[in-house]
Amino acid sequence: MSLLGFGSKIFTSNTCYTSVLPLISSPSFSSRLHFHHKLTLSGRRNLVTRTQNLGYKSEPNLVDLMESEKELPQVNRNLYPHIEPYSTGFLKVSDIHTIYWEQSGNPNGHPVVFLHGGPGGGTAPSNRRFFDPEFYRIILFDQRGAGKSKPHACLVENTTWDLINDIEKLRQHLEIPEWQVFGGSWGSTLSLAYSQSHPDKVTGMVLRGIFLLRKKEIDWFYEGGAAAIYPDAWEPFRDLIPENERDSFVDAYSKRLNSDDKEIQFAAARAWTKWEMMTAHLLPNEENIKRGDDDYFSLAFARIENHYFVNKGFFPADSFLLDNVDKMRHINTTIVQGRYDCCCPLMSAWDLHKAWPEAELKIVPDAGHSANEPGIAAELVAATEKLKNIVKNGH
């Protein structure tokens, strides 16, 4: 906040800076305006009156700025209450795959599609809470092989491009001309890939925990980088693999996750999933960690994630998503990133923001990876509120 409490914008404009310079250079400024730090937004008009009484003229643009700030509604940053879907269904997207979808909120509202993480993570009822249910028509779906989609944990015909086609099929099935896109972690990867493929169908984006699926990101999390911060969580993940296979944990786990022996599959799936769940929060979250004990969830989560990582996201180049930023540069986007995200480190959000400075980057100083951490959840809601207000105001 600036010295007068007007916000940083005052001092970034030459006009505004010049207008207050005579005031702040007055020798008696400190004693005569010692009360400034107690002022709230509603009291700023009073400050203008006081400074005028002291013989200083406030230029009209300064008054207008304070009046406009006063009139701005405070953006909601709280998760919305739990709601239930008003419709659910299954859509057959190929000879093999059928995906589960649901709609909640306002049937006539602005459509937003939620792209879950993993890949293989599936959706959860809590995912609906990032959106104002009176304004948004909220669409959730489980990607191929995940959640309620069938067949469970299936890797056949399961690629990034298949998922992008599924998103389009679902949009057409629900008769939605265009929609807002919301995705975190792998969901951010898929959001970027979808928006680059269909930029005319996306009205805005909210991204969290940026994952560009580059080799250095996979190596960081699965080949020993993050182990420097979480050695206690890493060792069970490491120790499942014999020493002679530890030159590539992703490949070693791929062999086990695709074993003909179900018990070998489940053991590998549990170890893979627990490693990720133990590192997803800045502070340990026992409920999240317990998901690693759920064999049904773990198998889809670990098998599908590993499948995508072994295949480098099915992208033609390591920097594919960064190379194609121009295709979506026009889309109003907010990036929310935890400072201490060990799963998808800040370097990726930073690289994306540098390639795409038009996208707003919000770094949460006291958070890790999970969308359910308080600081990240607050920024995600604020971002959906920002896009809501843009739609409401028609620009």
Side-chain angles (χ1 to χ4, degrees):
M1 182 175 285
S2 71
L3 187 58
L4 288 178
F6 298 147
S8 58
K9 287 182 181 177
I10 286 184
F11 293 100
T12 58
S13 162
N14 289 335
T15 303
C16 295
Y17 181 83
T18 305
S19 69
V20 297
L21 187 57
L23 191 155
I24 63 174
S25 60
S26 164
S28 57
F29 172 78
S30 177
S31 60
R32 296 162 91 174
L33 291 183
H34 67 277
F35 56 86
H36 76 268
H37 66 282
K38 297 179 182 176
L39 291 173
T40 61
L41 197 57
S42 61
R44 287 176 182 170
R45 176 188 271 283
N46 187 43
L47 174 58
V48 177
T49 307
R50 296 286 286 272
T51 56
Q52 287 172 338
N53 290 342
L54 290 169
Y56 303 110
K57 288 182 69 177
S58 294
E59 291 184 11
N61 64 341
L62 183 58
V63 179
D64 291 345
L65 173 63
M66 290 186 288
E67 284 300 291
S68 66
E69 281 194 18
K70 179 180 175 182
E71 291 162 9
L72 280 174
Q74 189 161 353
V75 174
N76 175 48
R77 300 170 65 83
N78 298 315
L79 290 167
Y80 282 93
H82 284 283
I83 53 172
E84 293 299 319
Y86 63 79
S87 71
T88 63
F90 288 88
L91 178 65
K92 191 167 180 58
V93 289
S94 79
D95 290 341
I96 296 173
H97 290 277
T98 300
I99 61 170
Y100 166 80
W101 59 266
E102 63 168 60
Q103 298 187 90
S104 57
N106 182 352
N108 299 310
H110 186 71
V112 58
V113 62
F114 180 97
L115 304 183
H116 68 68
T123 56
S126 59
N127 301 151
R128 307 168 195 143
R129 301 185 63 197
F130 296 109
F131 313 99
D132 179 352
E134 293 186 6
F135 178 80
Y136 282 109
R137 177 182 173 186
I138 306 159
I139 297 102
L140 273 57
F141 78 97
D142 291 333
Q143 297 159 29
R144 293 188 180 201
K148 298 176 185 175
S149 294
K150 303 293 181 184
H152 182 70
C154 177
L155 306 183
V156 181
E157 291 181 10
N158 198 337
T159 74
T160 305
W161 310 108
D162 290 318
L163 300 186
I164 288 172
N165 290 336
D166 293 351
I167 297 169
E168 274 298 275
K169 286 174 183 174
L170 181 60
R171 183 185 64 77
Q172 292 161 6
H173 176 72
L174 298 176
E175 299 180 342
I176 294 170
E178 56 184 13
W179 50 10
Q180 192 171 305
V181 175
F182 182 111
S185 195
W186 158 254
S188 77
T189 323
L190 187 56
S191 296
L192 292 167
Y194 172 76
S195 298
Q196 291 175 5
S197 300
H198 300 281
D200 58 324
K201 300 296 187 287
V202 181
T203 61
M205 271 199 292
V206 177
L207 307 174
R208 187 265 313 165
I210 298 299
F211 181 42
L212 302 175
L213 226 156
R214 297 173 295 179
K215 183 179 185 300
K216 66 180 180 180
E217 296 168 56
I218 301 295
D219 287 350
W220 158 261
F221 193 64
Y222 294 101
E223 302 296 347
I229 299 170
Y230 285 98
D232 49 340
W234 171 256
E235 287 190 4
F237 176 85
R238 179 199 66 192
D239 291 349
L240 188 82
I241 306 301
E243 286 191 27
N244 64 345
E245 290 185 64
R246 290 181 187 174
D247 56 324
S248 173
F249 284 96
V250 171
D251 289 342
Y253 268 91
S254 177
K255 189 169 90 174
R256 287 155 180 80
L257 290 166
N258 292 286
S259 168
D260 293 333
D261 186 328
K262 274 288 181 188
E263 284 310 308
I264 291 175
Q265 278 193 28
F266 284 131
R270 285 192 295 268
W272 179 284
T273 304
K274 280 223 166 187
W275 161 241
E276 187 155 336
M277 296 304 160
M278 290 178 77
T279 54
H281 289 75
L282 181 62
L283 301 176
N285 183 296
E286 291 304 321
E287 185 179 344
N288 201 53
I289 293 169
K290 283 177 185 173
R291 299 185 82 189
D293 295 324
D294 180 342
D295 285 344
Y296 186 83
F297 171 80
S298 290
L299 188 63
F301 184 77
R303 284 195 86 212
I304 298 173
E305 270 201 348
N306 179 273
H307 166 69
Y308 273 73
F309 301 164
V310 164
N311 288 286
K312 302 177 174 60
F314 302 93
F315 294 129
D318 196 55
S319 58
F320 178 78
L321 294 175
L322 290 177
D323 294 342
N324 287 278
V325 162
D326 280 349
K327 295 177 180 177
M328 59 181 186
R329 200 174 291 280
H330 64 285
I331 299 172
N332 198 319
T333 299
T334 298
I335 300 165
V336 178
Q337 180 73 36
R339 166 69 71 181
Y340 300 108
D341 188 335
C342 278
C343 301
C344 299
L346 176 56
M347 64 176 176
S348 297
W350 190 251
D351 289 346
L352 179 62
H353 181 57
K354 284 198 296 184
W356 189 14
E358 298 88 348
E360 183 179 21
L361 174 61
K362 294 279 192 177
I363 299 172
V364 182
D366 57 350
H369 181 67
S370 174
N372 299 318
E373 293 186 77
I376 291 183
E379 290 294 353
L380 290 173
V381 173
T384 65
E385 293 291 289
K386 174 187 169 185
L387 289 175
K388 176 180 83 173
N389 290 331
I390 289 171
V391 173
K392 278 187 168 182
N393 295 328
H395 61 271

